Structure formats: structure tokens, C-alpha cells
Amino acid sequence: MNAPFKAPAQPADPSEPPLWDLSDLYAGREDQAVAADLERGRAAVAELQTLQGRLLASRSDPVALGVVLDRAIALYEQATNALGGLGAYAFLAASTARDDAKAQGFEADIREKVTAVSTPTVWLTLEINQLEEAEIEAALASDLNAARWRPWLRRVRAGKPHELSQELETWLAEYSPVATQWGRLFDETLAAMRVEVGKEKLTLAQALNGLSDPKPARRKAAAEGLNAALSERSSTLALVLNTVVADKQLEDRKRGFARPADSRHMANEVDGDAVDAMAQAVGDAYSKLSHRYYALKARVLGKAKLDQWDRNAPLDTKAPRGFDWAEGRAIVLDSFGDLGPEFRERASAFFDNPWIDGRARPGKQSGAYCHPVTATRHPYVFMNWMGERRDVLTLAHEVGHAVHNSLAADQGTLLANTPLTLAETASIFAEGLTFDRLLATAPRAEQRGLLAGRIEDGLNSVIRQTAFHRFETRFHDERAGGEVSADRIGQIWLEEMGASLGPAITLNPGYEHWWSYVSHFVHSPFYVYAYAFGDLLVAALMETRRKDPTAFTPLYRDLLAGGGTRTYVEALAPFGLNPRDPAFWSIGCQRLERLIDQFEQTV
């Protein structure tokens, strides 16, 4: 990892989830380094601006063009590192304090300042794309330093058909901080929301956690509390979603994207047809996977049908095994150790240093993520630890991202950036290793419950996220004809969730509002299919590892260390896997089906 490690800082009680320390980035909002990094970014941009026009002026001289290309992209990366650290700090600090107006204001202020500094660089990709392919190839062949930027140039060139004028590109860059305020409204609305469950008033994260309570009455109370809280805010959240999508559609039309997900597909370097094929394959497997499993689960729980709040219910009414932070840490690190000492060492760094914020508390947003910051800094991990089995797997997932980021850091920020088709590989793989360890070490009496939990995690990643993708696609299509009411959004949601979950689950009244807390729909349109894509891709990798674990590890390390330098097709070739083959997607579905077969034997 490029950033030097600081002295380990353990929480006072190692069994308690930690708080992170962001001082590796900045000491606080008033730190003089904030202004210094803004100036550093501004200086890199100013020097970059002196090269405007030089690419086109050098197009007939491959040697000169190679030198200018290398210098221009290097300066762009320098600016990205300076400004990216600032943006990361502001976001990280705000995500644990969504109820703090100063933290939210600082995030918005930094976003505006970073945009003002970086916007003048829009000419770079526009000018690169005015060059002919043969001119670029000749320049890269003449200059080894320039040649290393080939993967980044590949992504830039992919956007050529969708570029606008420099004036419009500049305006869009300047407008982006204003547009993101809708995401801020979404976050602050949900962070301020309190869900009434009995006599308690819970945060969104706490209420969602209640859906896994072993007591049916508590699950029902949590679900009904969520129904009421989300219903009260559905009109506001529908307005947010409608506006974000209308904004995206306006830009998509200007750029010439035919379908709403096409811009995401381009960024992911994946064919839309491949994603459609994956979604179709998963949809075709609904009956063999989710429909079948939930019918089996209903039988185990002694019910004709499950209520929607029973979807992730434990099979035993006794309290399931809980995990304190120290136990979760040990399991996750041992799982990384199954890949070899380097993987364990890299994962350990995030526990030995204050780089994880795991403690749930008021004002902290729900969910989990790993922020890569920049390749010149270390990542940070964010989650809301509740001490359940699922939290152990979530921890493994996010630390998997962190290890991936650390391995790819030597590529530099621009080349380490991984398309979503590969971005979930290390995280889902880490989850799989951790589950295998949980299952192997569990008492026999707990193994059926663990197996059920693993199946449900797979269904949530593959089936549920595919259903999210289908819901999102339908909403975007309808929004093209005008604003979509909250009631209509709820109807689309029920149709897609009902199709994916099957006849063994009742979608109780109030569930029609649950689309409104899914942050990806607002912050990252069409991100969700990456989870299903990644889960099925990892299933194929895990099948490969099962055949020869020793030979697998170095190939896997190379895949992660490559960052975004290779497409997902190129990255999987050393494993003998071809994701363009429709049979590739069946491997993951078949792996999940075998787990359901195993579960059925216990019913």
C-alpha cells in the first residue's frame, strides 16, 4: 500500500466496533492542508491548461505527441489525487454525521470548490478524441511512458461518440454540484427518519436489522414501523427520484445514449446485450431458485406462505449466535488467510489502524461501503455493526474491496479505477470464503441456519439485485413519458419484487413504499446489476479455485492488482473463463441451486 501505515490504534474494548480516524487525510475542516491541497490541485490544472491545443498540434509527430500525452495525463492524475482526497474526506466525515449541518455544508462546499478547480480540464478528453486511432497508436508506440496510459485512453475513446461541445461539457461539470444536492436531500431525509417500533424510535439501519429478529412479532413490528415511516416520506423521495432520473435522461438524450443504462454499460466496459442476457438468465431461474427456496423455508417455519418480513428470518426462534467485533475480525482475517499470508496482512492493516468505522449511531447513514480515496492514500471502510452473522459477511465484503484497492494502488489512481464488472469481485469472493469458514466451524445444530443464510445472501445478490435492475429499468422508461407518481412507483416495485420472490411470499400492505430507501437508485443509477454480475462471476472463480487452490491464488492476485487495466473478458481469460459464453452465467445459478438442493435435504 502506497500510504505509510501509522501506529496501530485499537479501541479501548476490542470487542466493540471501532470509530475511524480521518486524520490521515486532514486533521479537521479547518486544517490548513485543505487549502493547500486545493492549491496543489489548482496548480496541476493550471500547468495542464498550458498544454491545451498541443495534442492536435503534435498529431503528425508521434514522438512529440507521445511526450505531450504522457505529461497531460500525468498532470490530470496529479490534480485527481489532490482533489480526490479532499472530496473523499468531506464525504467520509459527512456520512457519519448526516444530522450535522456543518458537516453537510462542508461536504457541499468542498464539492463546489473541487468542481470549480477541475472543470477547466474538460478539454483534455475532448482533444484526445479529436485524434485518429492511428495517431494515438503511433504515439504510444514511440513513448513507453505514454504507453502505460493505454487502458485509460481505451475508456476515454469509448466515450467519443457521446461527447458534447466543450461549452456544454464545461456547463455540465459546473452544474454537477447542484444536481448532487438531490442526493443530499435523500440522505438527510433518511438519516433524520426515526422508525417507531413498539416504544423505541430506531434509525433506518436499526429497523432494517429488526427484520432478522428471531421473534416473528418483532420482525412484524419493525416492518410495520418501516411501512409507516417510508410512507410518510414517499412523496418527497418520489420527487427526488423523478428529478434525478429526469436530469439523467436530459443528459442521455444530448449524448445520444439509446437506453437509460447505456452510460453505465459504457463506464463498465460491458455490452448492454451481455447484461440483458444475464438478467434474462436470472429471471428464467426465478422458479428454480427463489421461488423454490422460499417455499421450502415456509415449510420449515410451519407456514403456508411467508410474510415479506420473514424473507430473512432465522429458522430458529432462539436468538441466533451473535458476534462481537473481536470475533468478527478473527473470522474475517482467517478467511483472508485462506488465500495466503499476503492477503491476511493486507486485510489486517485495516483492523490494526483506525481505518474502519463500524459503530452504528444516530446521524450515521445506513449501509456499508469501502471508499478507495485515491491510490496515493489508503481506503476507509464504513458499516453499521449489529453483531449478526450477516454483519460478519458485510465486514468481509467491504474489507475485500479495501484489499482490492490496496493491491491495485501501484497502478496509480487513473489505472487502479476498476469497472463495476470487476469492482465487486474481491468483495463477494471474501464473503464466500468467510461463509465457508463460518459453516465449517459452526456446531451441527447451527449448520442448517447458516446454509439458509448463505442461500439468502445469494438470492439477495443475484435475484434481488436483478429485480432491482428490472424495477429501475421500468421506472426510467416510464419517467421518459412524464413524472411518475409515488403510487405508480410502488406498483412497479410490487410487480418486480413479486415476480422475483414468488408465490410463497406475501407482499404485505405497506411494502409498496420500500423502493424509497434504496440509495443506489438515486446516487448510482444502474449500479445494482453489478452485484448480480459480480456474484455470478465470483461463483465461476470459486469453482475454479476448488479445483486447484494453490494455482488459483497467484492468478487471482494478478487479477486484483491489475485494477482497471484490463477488461473483464481479458481479466478472466487466464482462468479459462469466457463471460461472453452464455453457459458462463449458468455456473453461478447452478452453484446456488446446489445449495438449495442441500438445504432441501434438511427439510
mmCIF file of all heavy atoms in Angstrom, residues 77 101 154 194 200 328 393 420 433 459 492 514 525 559 584:
data_model
loop_
_atom_site.group_PDB
_atom_site.id
_atom_site.type_symbol
_atom_site.label_atom_id
_atom_site.label_comp_id
_atom_site.label_asym_id
_atom_site.label_seq_id
_atom_site.Cartn_x
_atom_site.Cartn_y
_atom_site.Cartn_z
ATOM 1 N N GLU A 77 -3.790 13.245 -13.494
ATOM 2 C CA GLU A 77 -3.801 12.341 -12.341
ATOM 3 C C GLU A 77 -3.348 13.069 -11.075
ATOM 4 O O GLU A 77 -3.897 12.840 -9.990
ATOM 5 C CB GLU A 77 -2.919 11.128 -12.597
ATOM 6 C CG GLU A 77 -2.974 10.099 -11.464
ATOM 7 C CD GLU A 77 -2.244 8.818 -11.812
ATOM 8 O OE1 GLU A 77 -1.006 8.868 -11.980
ATOM 9 O OE2 GLU A 77 -2.891 7.762 -11.904
ATOM 10 N N ALA A 101 -25.344 19.880 10.431
ATOM 11 C CA ALA A 101 -25.450 20.826 9.325
ATOM 12 C C ALA A 101 -24.076 21.312 8.868
ATOM 13 O O ALA A 101 -23.855 21.541 7.673
ATOM 14 C CB ALA A 101 -26.318 22.010 9.731
ATOM 15 N N ARG A 154 -8.272 3.871 -23.559
ATOM 16 C CA ARG A 154 -9.311 2.997 -24.094
ATOM 17 C C ARG A 154 -10.687 3.422 -23.584
ATOM 18 O O ARG A 154 -11.660 3.488 -24.347
ATOM 19 C CB ARG A 154 -9.017 1.548 -23.686
ATOM 20 C CG ARG A 154 -10.011 0.511 -24.197
ATOM 21 C CD ARG A 154 -9.724 -0.856 -23.600
ATOM 22 N NE ARG A 154 -10.010 -0.887 -22.174
ATOM 23 C CZ ARG A 154 -9.212 -1.451 -21.261
ATOM 24 N NH1 ARG A 154 -8.074 -2.015 -21.624
ATOM 25 N NH2 ARG A 154 -9.557 -1.453 -19.992
ATOM 26 N N ARG A 194 -36.921 8.454 11.927
ATOM 27 C CA ARG A 194 -36.968 7.536 13.055
ATOM 28 C C ARG A 194 -38.153 6.602 12.880
ATOM 29 O O ARG A 194 -39.268 7.052 12.598
ATOM 30 C CB ARG A 194 -37.052 8.282 14.389
ATOM 31 C CG ARG A 194 -35.787 9.072 14.718
ATOM 32 C CD ARG A 194 -34.575 8.162 14.912
ATOM 33 N NE ARG A 194 -33.333 8.898 15.136
ATOM 34 C CZ ARG A 194 -32.473 9.235 14.175
ATOM 35 N NH1 ARG A 194 -32.744 8.902 12.900
ATOM 36 N NH2 ARG A 194 -31.374 9.882 14.454
ATOM 37 N N GLU A 200 -39.791 2.060 20.993
ATOM 38 C CA GLU A 200 -38.491 2.553 20.530
ATOM 39 C C GLU A 200 -38.631 3.385 19.262
ATOM 40 O O GLU A 200 -39.553 3.172 18.464
ATOM 41 C CB GLU A 200 -37.555 1.378 20.261
ATOM 42 C CG GLU A 200 -37.192 0.548 21.470
ATOM 43 C CD GLU A 200 -36.219 -0.556 21.109
ATOM 44 O OE1 GLU A 200 -36.663 -1.535 20.485
ATOM 45 O OE2 GLU A 200 -35.022 -0.428 21.434
ATOM 46 N N GLY A 328 -15.682 -11.224 14.987
ATOM 47 C CA GLY A 328 -15.851 -10.950 13.566
ATOM 48 C C GLY A 328 -14.521 -10.703 12.883
ATOM 49 O O GLY A 328 -14.254 -11.221 11.794
ATOM 50 N N LEU A 393 -20.265 -11.125 7.371
ATOM 51 C CA LEU A 393 -20.109 -11.225 5.923
ATOM 52 C C LEU A 393 -19.994 -9.844 5.275
ATOM 53 O O LEU A 393 -19.233 -9.653 4.323
ATOM 54 C CB LEU A 393 -21.278 -11.998 5.323
ATOM 55 C CG LEU A 393 -21.375 -13.464 5.774
ATOM 56 C CD1 LEU A 393 -22.642 -14.113 5.229
ATOM 57 C CD2 LEU A 393 -20.148 -14.253 5.320
ATOM 58 N N LEU A 420 -17.268 -1.597 -12.800
ATOM 59 C CA LEU A 420 -18.130 -2.331 -11.878
ATOM 60 C C LEU A 420 -18.208 -3.811 -12.197
ATOM 61 O O LEU A 420 -18.524 -4.617 -11.324
ATOM 62 C CB LEU A 420 -19.542 -1.725 -11.900
ATOM 63 C CG LEU A 420 -19.684 -0.339 -11.290
ATOM 64 C CD1 LEU A 420 -21.142 0.096 -11.305
ATOM 65 C CD2 LEU A 420 -19.154 -0.302 -9.865
ATOM 66 N N LEU A 433 -15.522 -16.923 1.035
ATOM 67 C CA LEU A 433 -14.529 -17.567 1.893
ATOM 68 C C LEU A 433 -14.957 -17.516 3.362
ATOM 69 O O LEU A 433 -14.775 -18.477 4.111
ATOM 70 C CB LEU A 433 -13.174 -16.880 1.729
ATOM 71 C CG LEU A 433 -12.451 -17.064 0.390
ATOM 72 C CD1 LEU A 433 -11.183 -16.229 0.364
ATOM 73 C CD2 LEU A 433 -12.112 -18.537 0.152
ATOM 74 N N LEU A 459 -29.419 -15.157 -2.918
ATOM 75 C CA LEU A 459 -30.660 -14.670 -3.527
ATOM 76 C C LEU A 459 -30.716 -13.146 -3.487
ATOM 77 O O LEU A 459 -31.183 -12.505 -4.440
ATOM 78 C CB LEU A 459 -31.875 -15.262 -2.807
ATOM 79 C CG LEU A 459 -32.050 -16.779 -2.912
ATOM 80 C CD1 LEU A 459 -33.264 -17.226 -2.104
ATOM 81 C CD2 LEU A 459 -32.189 -17.227 -4.359
ATOM 82 N N ILE A 492 -44.982 -0.613 -9.636
ATOM 83 C CA ILE A 492 -43.894 -1.246 -10.388
ATOM 84 C C ILE A 492 -43.035 -2.084 -9.447
ATOM 85 O O ILE A 492 -42.633 -3.211 -9.758
ATOM 86 C CB ILE A 492 -43.026 -0.193 -11.099
ATOM 87 C CG1 ILE A 492 -43.849 0.619 -12.090
ATOM 88 C CG2 ILE A 492 -41.846 -0.858 -11.828
ATOM 89 C CD1 ILE A 492 -43.119 1.823 -12.651
ATOM 90 N N TRP A 514 -41.172 0.486 -0.138
ATOM 91 C CA TRP A 514 -39.801 0.119 0.245
ATOM 92 C C TRP A 514 -38.765 0.397 -0.837
ATOM 93 O O TRP A 514 -37.568 0.310 -0.574
ATOM 94 C CB TRP A 514 -39.762 -1.345 0.683
ATOM 95 C CG TRP A 514 -40.363 -1.545 2.054
ATOM 96 C CD1 TRP A 514 -41.469 -0.927 2.567
ATOM 97 C CD2 TRP A 514 -39.896 -2.403 3.085
ATOM 98 N NE1 TRP A 514 -41.725 -1.359 3.849
ATOM 99 C CE2 TRP A 514 -40.773 -2.268 4.192
ATOM 100 C CE3 TRP A 514 -38.847 -3.294 3.183
ATOM 101 C CZ2 TRP A 514 -40.603 -2.979 5.375
ATOM 102 C CZ3 TRP A 514 -38.679 -4.021 4.366
ATOM 103 C CH2 TRP A 514 -39.550 -3.848 5.444
ATOM 104 N N PRO A 525 -27.311 5.381 -10.559
ATOM 105 C CA PRO A 525 -28.271 4.680 -11.423
ATOM 106 C C PRO A 525 -27.627 3.513 -12.172
ATOM 107 O O PRO A 525 -26.531 3.623 -12.715
ATOM 108 C CB PRO A 525 -28.715 5.783 -12.394
ATOM 109 C CG PRO A 525 -28.546 7.057 -11.627
ATOM 110 C CD PRO A 525 -27.314 6.844 -10.780
ATOM 111 N N LEU A 559 -5.220 -10.620 -11.028
ATOM 112 C CA LEU A 559 -6.488 -10.018 -11.464
ATOM 113 C C LEU A 559 -6.776 -8.757 -10.654
ATOM 114 O O LEU A 559 -7.103 -7.700 -11.204
ATOM 115 C CB LEU A 559 -7.622 -11.029 -11.315
ATOM 116 C CG LEU A 559 -9.022 -10.614 -11.780
ATOM 117 C CD1 LEU A 559 -9.832 -11.847 -12.182
ATOM 118 C CD2 LEU A 559 -9.792 -9.847 -10.696
ATOM 119 N N PHE A 584 -21.476 -19.432 -19.197
ATOM 120 C CA PHE A 584 -20.732 -18.863 -18.078
ATOM 121 C C PHE A 584 -21.682 -18.448 -16.954
ATOM 122 O O PHE A 584 -21.406 -18.675 -15.769
ATOM 123 C CB PHE A 584 -19.924 -17.659 -18.559
ATOM 124 C CG PHE A 584 -19.250 -16.881 -17.462
ATOM 125 C CD1 PHE A 584 -18.024 -17.278 -16.961
ATOM 126 C CD2 PHE A 584 -19.832 -15.738 -16.929
ATOM 127 C CE1 PHE A 584 -17.392 -16.562 -15.950
ATOM 128 C CE2 PHE A 584 -19.210 -15.010 -15.925
ATOM 129 C CZ PHE A 584 -17.989 -15.427 -15.436
#
